[in-house]
């Protein structure tokens, strides 16, 4: 259960600053530990594929971890210095999520992922690996999220983003549907009664 009322609401001025600083047709954000199971390199490869489709794309990677040096090398090797930005730890991650057109999460290892729920609470379109953690419990493909084959994440995610990025109404309704699902399944006011029932049994 989450008490979303305790979350600091994204600040419009800061969100606009981020959008201006990383001006792009499609702004992607990923927030995770930079580890092999979270697969931040796959987010980089997704951005590369989108650029190959002729789209103006920027990717902001939030987080730190043992893959930081290898991710920097990958960015250099793919000549993505002007498109992929490794920002490390930030205290206002929700502002970055709010600024995103899509939130990428190619992780193969989750239990109950917090950042995807946070992105959903902010009504951002999310692209995740199917069959990971509890995603299949509350994410419905094409209705409130984009779910892709984890082994083909960069390929399938890039195709979906290419095909849907200009359909703002579809993305808006998906974001709203995800927000409703996140609140329904995880907001403390919605689920506290179920915990009370467990305590009584």
């Amino acid at each position: 259960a989450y008490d979303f009322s305790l979350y600091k609401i994204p600040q419009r001025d800061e969100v606009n600053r981020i959008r201006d600083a990383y001006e792009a047709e499609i702004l992607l954000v990923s927030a995770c530990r930079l580890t092999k199971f979270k697969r931040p390199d796959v987010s980089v490869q997704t951005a590369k594929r989108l650029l190959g489709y002729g789209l103006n794309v920027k990717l902001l990677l939030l987080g730190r971890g043992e893959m930081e040096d290898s991710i920097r090398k990958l960015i250099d090797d793919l000549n993505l210095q002007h498109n992929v930005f490794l920002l490390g730890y930030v205290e206002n991650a929700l502002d970055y999520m709010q600024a995103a057109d899509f939130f990428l999460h190619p992780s193969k290892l989750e239990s109950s992922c917090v950042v995807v729920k946070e992105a959903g609470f902010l009504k951002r379109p999310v692209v995740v690996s199917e069959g990971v953690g509890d995603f299949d419990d509350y994410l419905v493909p094409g209705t409130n999220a984009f779910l892709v084959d984890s082994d083909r994440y960069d390929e399938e995610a890039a195709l979906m983003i290419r095909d849907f990025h200009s359909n703002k109404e579809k993305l808006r309704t998906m974001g709203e549907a995800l927000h409703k699902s996140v609140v329904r399944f995880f907001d403390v006011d919605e689920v506290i009664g179920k915990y009370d029932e467990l305590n009584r049994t």
Side-chain angles (χ1 to χ4, degrees):
Y2 295 76
D3 187 350
F4 290 110
S5 68
L6 299 178
Y7 279 63
K8 183 179 178 182
I9 300 301
Q11 301 300 301
R12 176 51 54 185
D13 289 347
E14 181 62 12
V15 172
N16 290 339
R17 184 199 67 77
I18 294 167
R19 291 290 309 197
D20 290 342
Y22 302 98
E23 186 177 358
E25 182 181 4
I26 303 171
L27 183 62
L28 308 173
V29 171
S30 182
C32 65
R33 295 190 307 278
L34 303 183
T35 65
K36 65 179 182 178
F37 293 114
K38 299 298 183 182
R39 305 197 306 167
D41 54 311
V42 177
S43 292
V44 176
Q45 294 287 0
T46 302
K48 178 68 173 179
R49 285 185 178 271
L50 286 165
L51 288 164
Y53 292 139
L55 297 168
N56 176 10
V57 174
K58 287 188 172 67
L59 166 66
L60 309 182
L61 281 173
L62 312 180
R64 292 190 174 130
E66 64 266 22
M67 286 186 69
E68 192 165 345
D69 289 341
S70 65
I71 293 297
R72 292 189 190 281
K73 184 177 185 306
L74 180 63
I75 293 169
D76 289 340
D77 289 347
L78 296 178
N79 196 29
L80 296 177
Q81 299 90 339
H82 301 294
N83 299 95
V84 179
F85 302 89
L86 198 53
L87 302 183
Y89 173 79
V90 299
E91 293 186 352
N92 60 328
L94 293 186
D95 291 322
Y96 285 89
M97 289 184 189
Q98 187 70 69
D101 294 304
F102 294 88
F103 183 79
L104 303 185
H105 196 68
S107 174
K108 271 193 170 183
L109 183 64
E110 297 291 345
S111 52
S112 183
C113 180
V114 174
V115 293
V116 169
K117 295 177 179 66
E118 291 173 340
F121 185 73
L122 297 175
K123 304 181 181 179
R124 308 324 299 149
V126 301
V127 187
V128 305
S129 298
E130 60 190 1
V132 172
D134 62 350
F135 290 154
D136 290 344
D137 292 339
Y138 68 100
L139 300 182
V140 181
T143 298
N144 66 4
F146 296 104
L147 280 80
V148 301
D149 185 332
S150 63
D151 292 328
R152 301 176 61 199
Y153 183 98
D154 58 320
E155 177 183 351
E156 293 187 4
L159 285 171
M160 286 186 175
I161 293 169
R162 182 197 68 181
D163 293 344
F164 286 97
H165 78 278
S166 61
N167 190 341
K168 302 303 183 185
E169 180 61 20
K170 172 67 173 177
L171 297 178
R172 183 187 66 79
T173 57
M174 286 184 72
E176 290 180 351
L178 180 54
H179 173 86
K180 290 177 181 177
S181 294
V182 167
V183 169
R184 175 188 172 197
F185 285 102
F186 302 105
D187 187 273
V188 65
D189 290 334
E190 297 290 329
V191 302
I192 193 65
K194 296 179 181 178
Y195 286 102
D196 288 340
E197 290 175 10
L198 284 174
N199 289 332
R200 288 196 294 269
T201 59

